[in-house]
């Protein structure tokens, strides 16, 4: 038995048991992702596709990705207007807001947003984007619900800051997810679709306000 015979089966077993797929030849592991491991060489990425099959795939992705992004983005916009609705229902009197307290409550949300903007963009490059976005959405909703239990200006100020920090990942993560699932030519239309959720929410909020009056 030669030395090459001993190495061959062991090498095969090693590759079969490995949980991390190897990138194609000529591509450094740090420059590859899981999808690239499906190809034997980088040239296969540019092979022509069946237009009908590609259209079906894009439609399937549209129905799976865009509704989630649009709904989340709509709720993120509603969060920015909750303080205005709270002012109509008497938050100034309930928390005894004086002077510029209300303006600070509105501004501190964006202070938290700016404070966490750089760290959240760094973490999105290092952590699984889906799980990281899910955790941030959970904490954003948690801090938003806690605002209803705030008993003082200081408590609401802190919760608004934390909610802004949790929402800092919304736009960059949505753009990153869109760039992961769509080609460069398809991305502008898809980003515009989930961004229009802002306009839809604005219309609904305006109609509801008129109806209540």
């Amino acid at each position: 038995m030669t030395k090459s015979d001993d190495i061959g089966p062991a090498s095969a077993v090693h590759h079969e048991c490995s949980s991390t797929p190897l990138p194609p030849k000529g591509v450094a592991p740090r420059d590859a992702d899981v999808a690239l491991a499906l190809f034997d060489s980088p040239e296969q990425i540019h092979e022509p596709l069946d237009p009908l099959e590609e259209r079906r795939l894009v439609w399937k992705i549209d129905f799976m990705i865009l509704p989630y992004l649009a709904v989340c983005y709509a709720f993120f916009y509603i969060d920015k207007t909750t303080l205005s609705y709270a002012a109509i229902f008497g938050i100034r009197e309930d928390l005894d807001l004086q002077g510029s307290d209300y303006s600070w409550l509105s501004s501190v949300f964006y202070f938290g947003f700016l404070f966490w903007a750089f760290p959240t963009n760094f973490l999105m490059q290092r952590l699984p984007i889906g799980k990281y976005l899910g955790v941030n959405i959970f904490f954003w909703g948690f801090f938003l619900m806690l605002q209803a239990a705030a008993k003082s200006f200081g408590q609401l100020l802190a919760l608004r800051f934390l909610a802004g920090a949790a929402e800092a990942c919304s736009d960059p993560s949505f753009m990153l997810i869109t760039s992961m699932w769509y080609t460069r030519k398809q991305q502008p239309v898809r980003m515009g679709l989930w961004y229009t959720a802002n306009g839809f929410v604005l219309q609904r909020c305006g109609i509801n306000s008129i109806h209540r009056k």
Side-chain angles (χ1 to χ4, degrees):
M1 181 179 293
T2 63
K3 184 176 181 180
S4 60
D5 295 334
D6 294 336
I7 297 176
S11 178
V13 172
H14 172 73
H15 289 302
E16 290 177 1
C17 297
S18 177
S19 59
T20 304
L22 298 177
K25 295 181 180 180
V27 179
R30 58 185 175 83
D31 296 330
D33 58 10
V34 177
L36 189 60
L38 300 175
F39 301 93
D40 296 328
S41 64
E43 289 76 15
Q44 292 182 347
I45 300 176
H46 304 288
E47 289 183 354
L49 301 176
D50 180 15
L52 182 59
E53 183 179 355
E54 182 181 5
R55 193 179 302 112
R56 290 176 179 174
L57 178 61
V58 172
W59 271 103
K60 185 175 181 179
I61 296 174
D62 286 340
F63 283 109
M64 292 182 63
I65 300 298
L66 291 181
Y68 289 109
L69 297 182
V71 170
C72 288
Y73 206 74
F75 279 106
F76 282 143
Y77 181 79
I78 293 175
D79 175 38
K80 295 181 177 68
T81 62
T82 52
L83 189 63
S84 300
Y85 298 134
I88 299 176
F89 288 99
I91 192 175
R92 296 175 184 269
E93 295 76 16
D94 293 341
L95 298 183
D96 193 24
L97 301 181
Q98 304 293 334
S100 60
D101 289 350
Y102 180 83
S103 298
W104 276 109
L105 288 176
S106 179
S107 300
V108 75
F109 176 89
Y110 297 98
F111 292 158
F113 195 102
L114 292 173
F115 171 78
W116 195 244
F118 178 79
T120 198
N121 278 273
F122 177 80
L123 291 173
M124 280 191 295
Q125 302 295 327
R126 298 294 185 270
L127 301 174
I129 183 63
K131 295 180 181 178
Y132 181 74
L133 178 60
V135 170
N136 278 268
I137 292 176
F138 172 82
F139 279 108
W140 163 79
F142 178 72
F143 295 136
L144 181 61
M145 290 187 294
L146 279 183
Q147 292 178 31
K151 302 296 183 182
S152 65
F153 166 74
Q155 292 178 1
L156 187 57
L157 191 75
L159 291 172
R160 293 278 298 173
F161 181 88
L162 294 173
E167 192 175 329
C169 72
S170 58
D171 289 88
S173 63
F174 286 4
M175 291 182 180
L176 185 59
I177 291 174
T178 305
S179 65
M180 292 169 60
W181 286 94
Y182 296 99
T183 63
R184 185 173 300 179
K185 183 179 180 180
Q186 298 167 345
Q187 290 173 20
V189 175
R190 270 66 185 184
M191 289 182 182
L193 288 175
W194 55 256
Y195 192 83
T196 53
N198 278 356
F200 177 76
V201 171
L202 183 62
Q203 291 176 351
R204 292 299 304 170
C205 292
I207 293 174
N208 291 339
S209 299
I210 294 174
H211 179 70
R212 288 179 179 178
K213 290 181 180 181

